[in-house]
Amino acid sequence: MLRHEFQPGRLVAGCFLALGGVVYAGDASGAWETPWFVMLPLAAGGLILAGAVGFVSRAVRRRQSRRQPGQTSAEPRA
């Protein structure tokens, strides 16, 4: 398997959408009653949170890539 970059935003989005599937599966099996509109805030909230996580992840990676290899934060830049 090829190695790829870890993308936590996609992980968060997938977890929230899988949770929505579990909610609807529980409703379909009769385990509980779920109104139809429950999925809207669940999916929207998950996608917003995934976007925020992706933005923070990208900012951290960009900041780390600017740092020169072998340089620590204690050493001054030339």
Side-chain angles (χ1 to χ4, degrees):
M1 184 170 133
L2 295 174
R3 296 190 59 87
H4 62 276
E5 183 177 334
F6 176 63
Q7 297 177 342
R10 289 185 180 192
L11 176 67
V12 170
C15 287
F16 270 87
L17 293 176
L19 178 63
V22 168
V23 167
Y24 274 140
D27 184 38
S29 69
W32 56 77
E33 276 297 310
T34 305
W36 64 270
F37 56 84
V38 168
M39 187 60 174
L40 295 175
L42 185 66
L47 291 175
I48 290 170
L49 184 61
V53 168
F55 180 76
V56 169
S57 173
R58 183 174 179 194
V60 167
R61 286 192 180 141
R62 182 176 288 171
R63 186 171 185 197
Q64 287 178 350
S65 69
R66 285 184 186 168
R67 198 182 285 176
Q68 294 178 5
Q71 182 179 1
T72 63
S73 59
E75 296 175 6
R77 287 189 174 179

